[in-house]
Amino acid sequence: MASTATFEYAVRDRAGQIVTGKIDAESTAAVAAKLKSMGYAPVKISAVRNTGLQMDLKLPKLGAKVKLKELAVFSRQFSTMINSGLSMLRALSILEEQQPNKTFSAVLTEIRLEVEAGSALSVSMARNPDIFPPLMVNMIKAGEVGGFLDKVLVQIADNYESEVKLRGKVKSAMTYPVVVLVMAIVMTIGMLLFIVPTFAGLFTSLGGELPAPTQILVNLSAFLKVAILPLIVMGVAGSIVWRRVKHRDDVRNVLDPIKLKVPIFGNLFRKIALARFCRNLGTMLSSGVPILQSLDIVADTSGNMVVAKAVRDVQESVRRGESLTEPLSKHDIFPPMVTQMLAVGEDTGALDTMLHKISDFYDQEVEATTDQLTALIEPLMIAVLGGLVGSMIVALYMPIFKIFDLIK
């Protein structure tokens, strides 16, 4: 006999009221079948995990994130199944069973049950904003209304795959300098905490006045011995606070313009923002999402407040029945090439095609820029690391040159 488990459920009765409760069954499917036989329409079914004290213990946010790559794979597989003739419910059931991410699998179960109860797919997805971005929800809604959901899912997959590829390029360019920087910090702290004090004791026993570089190093070592724990606590606290405030508008209004002006990297950030803006807007327009709604969503998903403000200006211009591209020319982040190409696309009625061409161009630009940065940063970081460690060693050995004089 199959083992049973306890499930929590939320259903709608014949009067349309939500009813909740618990039931024992072998699986989620068995719970749904039993509830349907009782005349209920299942809305949500989830397993109850109990300990010996009948408590459901969870580690908050642990493994609860659904990555962009997982959404791309989900969209691609979903499209293939629907295009092959499978029903939406059957496709969702297969995707739910083969999904390795438990959080994503549970959400797909909820969506399947809601769709089975008569809810639209886009409406069910919109109830999980932490999993499905507004761009994806609105595109699926347009595909449902227009009857081309499989094509929309392919466009979503292409969009997210391009975004994942773009992020991968940026991460690969940043990995080397970050690793070298961390190594430099760890080596510096290690020398100040363990090596410098040994030399400081030797210098003190010999007497005499230390050279200025050596004295600075000894003072830093003494300070770090006292301040290392408070600095670690401040670093951890600062990282926690930063994670909470980095997405706030007031913080981004200050930092995003600065990011675009940073030497070397500012140009890269600009190209990434332009590629993301053009790709997202082109994908939504080609999927049939109304332009005002598309601009509203793209402004929120641009990743840069400078681009978001420009898109808001465009939105107001379009709402008044004016040109799409004229407001963009007033913002420095959009080069003349972009505004002119968009103007041509607007005049010819091929704006979505032109947006995709621009995004492809800037994707290539980002790839070329990251390759150049990697080639430039590697020797610079080696020089910085060597200079830092070498200067500390020289500062430590400068007094040794006077040891014989001190002994005499």
Side-chain angles (χ1 to χ4, degrees), residues 94-111:
I94 295 172
L95 290 168
E96 164 199 336
E97 291 174 2
Q98 71 180 22
Q99 180 57 242
N101 187 324
K102 300 301 180 184
T103 301
F104 200 8
S105 178
V107 171
L108 291 178
T109 302
E110 296 176 11
I111 291 174

Side-chain angles (χ1 to χ4, degrees), residues 12-45:
R12 290 188 185 275
D13 58 16
R14 289 185 172 87
Q17 301 295 320
I18 294 292
V19 179
T20 59
K22 294 184 179 181
I23 191 172
D24 293 332
E26 291 81 12
S27 65
T28 305
V31 175
K34 188 177 296 185
L35 291 172
K36 287 180 183 178
S37 67
M38 297 167 62
Y40 294 123
V43 175
K44 181 178 180 180
I45 299 175

Side-chain angles (χ1 to χ4, degrees), residues 104-132:
F104 200 8
S105 178
V107 171
L108 291 178
T109 302
E110 296 176 11
I111 291 174
R112 178 177 57 80
L113 292 171
E114 291 179 7
V115 171
E116 193 173 5
S119 177
L121 177 62
S122 57
V123 174
S124 301
M125 287 182 168
R127 294 184 181 131
N128 299 275
D130 294 338
I131 305 297
F132 301 104

Side-chain angles (χ1 to χ4, degrees), residues 77-78 81-82 85-98 112 115-116:
Q77 293 176 341
F78 198 7
M81 292 179 189
I82 292 178
L86 289 176
S87 66
M88 184 182 296
L89 289 174
R90 180 59 179 160
L92 286 171
S93 179
I94 295 172
L95 290 168
E96 164 199 336
E97 291 174 2
Q98 71 180 22
R112 178 177 57 80
V115 171
E116 193 173 5

Side-chain angles (χ1 to χ4, degrees), residues 5-70:
T6 302
F7 294 85
E8 292 181 336
Y9 65 83
V11 297
R12 290 188 185 275
D13 58 16
R14 289 185 172 87
Q17 301 295 320
I18 294 292
V19 179
T20 59
K22 294 184 179 181
I23 191 172
D24 293 332
E26 291 81 12
S27 65
T28 305
V31 175
K34 188 177 296 185
L35 291 172
K36 287 180 183 178
S37 67
M38 297 167 62
Y40 294 123
V43 175
K44 181 178 180 180
I45 299 175
S46 57
V48 177
R49 296 180 176 83
N50 294 326
T51 65
L53 297 176
Q54 300 298 310
M55 295 175 63
D56 189 15
L57 300 178
K58 296 181 180 179
L59 293 176
K61 302 295 182 182
L62 185 60
K65 186 177 181 181
V66 177
K67 298 179 180 179
L68 202 61
K69 186 177 181 180
E70 292 174 323

Side-chain angles (χ1 to χ4, degrees), residues 273-286:
L274 290 172
R276 182 178 290 123
F277 160 74
C278 294
R279 185 187 306 111
N280 290 344
L281 183 57
T283 302
M284 298 200 74
L285 292 178
S286 61

